[in-house]
């Protein structure tokens, strides 16, 4: 555990939590080691199918907006139920590389980011909280409370995030990662009563730290009877499987798993496109 997980926001109300998110990094040149697939072919492997990983490709910035002032941009849409009211919205963004990477040309601006709603103009945000991780795998992680902005925009809208840098962004390096997420807590009196909690923390899963516990506390459940739970995570560098030792095409791909434990034993967390043995497979979705 690099930073223990604590509750940033918690409320008991009728409503829910949603996440909108996207990547800063995409595959560019190169082909996969097994089968020589192109970037377009790798994109077509919709999880849980496919074995292509970003380690096989030279990574480049995603930049969708056609604006020459941005070097990176990606977007996602918010679409809440009618009669919803936003009570919290937090923007998280981060990226990384190995400790021996040279800093990218935009690295000094990593604690600022640009955001726009629909076809509006960009505005620059500066992080409320910033963290540079040097514990084994160099990366940066930022947070900005944007509750007032998202609340004023309403329950529908497309958000574009721009100009968040990655390490070693010279267009010649493989295995880069970066992305952003907006966590939104909303109230809706037409829904059931829930305890809605957003936790902040950071842990690193790697070949030298392949099992990590995430203890969380500070939320409420009914005193008796069954308890239903929805669990969402923001994860980075979530390849859809990593080749076993040796990197041979004949070997099996193995991925990550996620287990949850309350009073009983650990149970796997998974859905239709996040299988038990590869739950962090570079897919942004809600309940499969």
């Amino acid at each position: 555990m690099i930073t223990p997980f604590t509750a940033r926001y918690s409320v008991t109300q009728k409503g829910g939590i949603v996440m909108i998110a996207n990547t800063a990094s995409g595959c560019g040149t190169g082909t996969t080691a097994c089968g020589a697939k192109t970037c377009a072919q790798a994109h077509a492997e919709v999880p849980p199918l496919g074995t292509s990983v970003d380690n096989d490709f030279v990574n480049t910035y995603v930049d969708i907006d056609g604006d020459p002032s941005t070097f990176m941009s990606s977007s996602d849409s918010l679409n809440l139920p009618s009669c919803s009211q936003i009570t919290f919205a937090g923007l998280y963004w981060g990226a990384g590389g190995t400790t021996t990477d040279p800093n990218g040309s935009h690295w000094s601006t990593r604690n600022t980011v640009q955001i726009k709603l629909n076809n509006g103009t960009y505005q620059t945000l500066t992080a409320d909280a910033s963290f540079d991780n040097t514990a084994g795998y160099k990366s940066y992680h930022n947070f900005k409370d944007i509750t007032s902005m998202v609340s004023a925009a309403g329950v529908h809208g497309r958000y574009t995030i721009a100009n968040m840098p990655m390490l070693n962004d010279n267009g010649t390096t493989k295995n880069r990662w970066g992305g952003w997420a907006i966590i939104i807590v909303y109230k809706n009196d037409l829904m059931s009563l829930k305890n809605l909690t957003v936790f902040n923390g950071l842990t690193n899963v790697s070949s030298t730290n392949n099992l990590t516990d995430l203890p969380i506390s500070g939320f409420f459940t009914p005193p008796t009877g069954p308890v239903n739970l929805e669990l969402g995570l923001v994860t980075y560098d979530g390849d859809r499987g990593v080749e076993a030792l040796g990197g041979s095409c004949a070997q099996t791909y193995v991925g990550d798993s996620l287990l949850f434990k309350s009073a009983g034993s650990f149970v796997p967390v998974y859905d239709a496109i996040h299988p038990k043995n590869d739950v962090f497979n570079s897919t942004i979705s809600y309940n499969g």
Side-chain angles (χ1 to χ4, degrees):
M1 182 76 65
I2 296 171
T3 303
F5 281 73
T6 59
R8 178 175 288 279
Y9 180 83
S10 186
V11 65
T12 299
Q13 64 186 19
K14 295 181 178 181
I17 299 178
V18 296
M19 178 193 309
I20 61 175
N22 217 321
T23 184
S25 173
C27 59
T29 60
T31 55
T32 60
C34 302
K37 287 175 284 190
T38 65
C39 179
Q41 290 171 321
H43 272 300
E45 296 177 340
V46 178
L49 303 175
T51 54
S52 299
V53 296
D54 71 341
N55 303 40
D56 291 324
F57 295 92
V58 170
N59 297 126
T60 58
Y61 283 117
V62 173
D63 193 9
I64 66 163
D65 62 5
D67 186 336
S69 70
T70 65
F71 59 86
M72 167 269 153
S73 60
S74 60
S75 66
D76 197 8
S77 293
L78 177 65
N79 187 21
L80 292 178
S82 299
C83 303
S84 297
Q85 176 186 348
I86 293 156
T87 57
F88 171 82
L91 169 63
Y92 296 82
W93 73 97
T98 65
T99 56
T100 57
D101 283 337
N103 289 338
S105 57
H106 304 284
W107 184 247
S108 62
T109 66
R110 63 192 180 280
N111 295 337
T112 63
V113 74
Q114 291 187 292
I115 187 172
K116 73 174 180 179
L117 175 65
N118 298 325
N119 294 321
T121 58
Y122 281 113
Q123 58 178 297
T124 300
L125 302 178
T126 301
D128 294 335
S130 303
F131 177 67
D132 285 343
N133 174 42
T134 58
Y137 199 77
K138 191 171 184 179
S139 56
Y140 74 89
H141 305 270
N142 292 324
F143 166 80
K144 179 70 176 181
D145 190 320
I146 57 171
T147 304
S148 59
M149 178 190 306
V150 178
S151 181
V155 297
H156 306 292
R158 189 159 190 88
Y159 290 83
T160 303
I161 301 298
N163 287 4
M164 57 158 294
M166 298 182 294
L167 272 175
N168 202 345
D169 56 1
N170 55 17
T172 63
T173 307
K174 297 181 179 181
N175 193 25
R176 298 281 72 90
W177 57 266
W180 58 270
I182 302 176
I183 312 301
I184 298 153
V185 182
Y186 66 96
K187 179 181 180 182
N188 191 311
D189 288 337
L190 301 179
M191 300 174 68
S192 60
L193 186 68
K194 304 179 184 74
N195 181 252
L196 307 170
T197 305
V198 179
F199 290 92
N200 267 110
L202 180 66
T203 191
N204 180 48
V205 181
S206 66
S207 58
T208 57
N209 182 43
N210 59 11
L211 181 62
T212 182
D213 289 328
L214 309 178
I216 55 174
S217 61
F219 57 95
F220 297 99
T221 64
T224 59
V227 176
N228 295 319
L229 169 72
E230 282 193 354
L231 176 66
L233 290 90
V234 177
T235 59
Y236 298 94
D237 199 22
D239 290 343
R240 68 191 86 168
V242 175
E243 287 177 275
L245 292 177
S248 168
C249 297
Q251 294 186 349
T252 303
Y253 277 71
V254 292
D256 307 292
S257 61
L258 176 65
L259 305 175
F260 182 84
K261 179 182 180 182
S262 56
S265 57
F266 282 102
V267 295
V269 177
Y270 63 99
D271 62 31
I273 60 175
H274 300 90
K276 294 179 183 179
N277 62 349
D278 195 13
V279 69
F280 301 131
N281 60 4
S282 298
T283 308
I284 304 164
S285 76
Y286 178 70
N287 281 343

